[in-house]
Amino acid sequence: MNRSERSNIILATLAREGSVDVERLVEELSVSPATVRRDLDGLAERQLLVRTHGGATRGSLAYDLPERYRLDDDGAKRAIASLASSLVSRGMVVGLSGGSTTDMLAQMLGMRADLRDDTGRAALTVVTNSVNIASTLAVRPHIKVVVSGGVMHPHSYELVGPFAEATLGQLTCDLSFIGVNGISEEGVFSVDEESEAVVNALIARRARRAYVVADGGKLGASAFAALPAVPGLGLITDDGAPAGMVSALREAGTEVTVAVAAGALHATA
C-alpha cells in the first residue's frame, strides 16, 4: 500500500468518525507507527487535519472531509500544478476546467496558507465547470467558488452545453488553467469530447492570461475534438516532455513553460 492509498484511508476514517489515532491506524494499515506519524504530519501540512498527541482530529475545521479525497502522487502533475499555483495571487479570479492536473491545482490553492486570514472573507474566486473541483474547494471558506450551469458529462464530471457557455460568457478571469488530452506540434490542443472543447476554450478566452496545464505525455498525443483557437494560450508542462516537441511548439508560437520537480523553471519562449 503506497502513501496515497494510506492517506485516502486516513481521511475516509476521519470523515466518518471525526478523529483517528496512531495505534489503530498501525493495525489497520499494517505499517509502523513512524510511517503513520509521517502520513499524518503530511496531511496536516496540507491542512486536511489537525495533529494531536496520539493521532489527529478535524479540530476547529468547520467542514466534513469528503469520503474520498484524491491525493495524486504523480510528480509531473504536482510540479505543473505547483508552478501554476505560484502564478495565482490574493484577490484574483481564476478559471479552472476539469482534469487531473487542474484538480491537483485546485487542491494546492485550497491548501495555501497565504490565502487564509482571520477575516472570514474569500481571498480568491475560482470559476469552474468541474463538479470535482467545486467539491474539492467547497470545504475551503477562503475561496469563493462559482460553478457554471450545464449538463454534466458522465465521464469527466464537467458541465457543458449552452447553459455552461452562457454563464461563462458573462464572466472575466485574471488567470485560467485548462486541461487537455492531446497537443500537436503545431500547437493544436484537443480533448475527447467536442462539447468539452468548446467550454474549455471559453474558459481560456474569458481570462486575461490562460494556460493549458498538461504533463509531457500529452505532447504528441491527439484526441477527438480540437479546441477552438485561443490567442496567446500558453502551455505549462513538465521536464519529461519530449524536447523536440517543446521546440516545435515554441517555433509554432506557443509560449511553453517547463516545470521540474524541484520547482525550477526552464527558459520560456
Side-chain angles (χ1 to χ4, degrees), residues 3-259:
R3 184 174 185 178
S4 180
E5 292 169 332
R6 294 195 305 271
S7 295
N8 282 328
I9 292 172
I10 292 169
L11 291 176
T13 302
L14 189 60
R16 290 193 306 270
E17 303 178 14
S19 65
V20 293
D21 63 77
V22 171
E23 290 185 5
R24 175 183 168 185
L25 291 173
V26 166
E27 183 176 348
E28 290 185 357
L29 301 175
S30 299
V31 293
S32 69
T35 297
V36 170
R37 293 189 184 96
R38 283 195 297 270
D39 289 345
L40 293 176
D41 290 342
L43 291 170
E45 289 176 3
R46 301 183 187 193
Q47 301 176 25
L48 294 174
L49 52 76
V50 176
R51 284 288 273 122
T52 63
H53 177 68
T57 70
R58 297 175 189 165
S60 60
L61 300 178
Y63 61 84
D64 289 334
L65 289 168
E67 184 69 15
R68 288 186 58 82
Y69 195 102
R70 293 194 299 133
L71 296 172
D72 194 332
D73 282 340
D74 187 312
K77 288 184 172 64
R78 185 168 298 281
I80 295 166
S82 179
L83 194 157
S85 175
S86 73
L87 302 178
V88 176
S89 58
R90 191 179 187 87
M92 280 188 170
V93 178
V94 179
L96 296 176
S97 79
S100 57
T101 307
T102 52
D103 187 64
M104 183 175 287
L105 170 57
Q107 293 183 37
M108 287 187 176
L109 293 175
M111 294 183 286
R112 275 182 45 181
D114 63 307
L115 296 178
R116 303 169 66 94
D117 58 31
D118 297 328
T119 66
R121 295 192 297 269
L124 189 71
T125 298
V126 170
V127 176
T128 186
N129 71 319
S130 167
V131 174
N132 286 339
I133 287 175
S135 176
T136 293
L137 295 178
V139 299
R140 302 299 188 182
H142 60 291
I143 297 181
K144 176 181 177 180
V145 182
V146 179
V147 185
S148 72
V151 178
M152 187 172 68
H153 193 281
H155 300 298
S156 66
Y157 298 101
E158 291 180 80
L159 300 171
V160 297
F163 289 126
E165 295 165 30
T167 301
L168 294 169
Q170 299 179 57
L171 304 175
T172 301
C173 300
D174 297 293
L175 283 171
S176 282
F177 301 96
I178 63 173
V180 299
N181 300 107
I183 305 170
S184 75
E185 290 185 357
E186 297 77 25
V188 176
F189 302 100
S190 56
V191 294
D192 291 334
E193 297 286 340
E194 66 275 15
S195 55
E196 293 178 13
V198 172
V199 172
N200 283 12
L202 183 55
I203 293 173
R205 282 203 198 102
R206 299 305 301 170
R208 295 182 175 89
R209 190 74 185 91
Y211 298 90
V212 167
V213 286
D215 63 79
K218 304 290 178 60
L219 276 67
S222 62
F224 174 70
L227 269 65
V230 179
L233 181 59
L235 169 65
I236 301 176
T237 189
D238 66 278
D239 58 346
M245 277 291 302
V246 171
S247 296
L249 284 165
R250 288 172 171 164
E251 290 175 6
T254 299
E255 177 187 328
V256 182
T257 305
V258 180

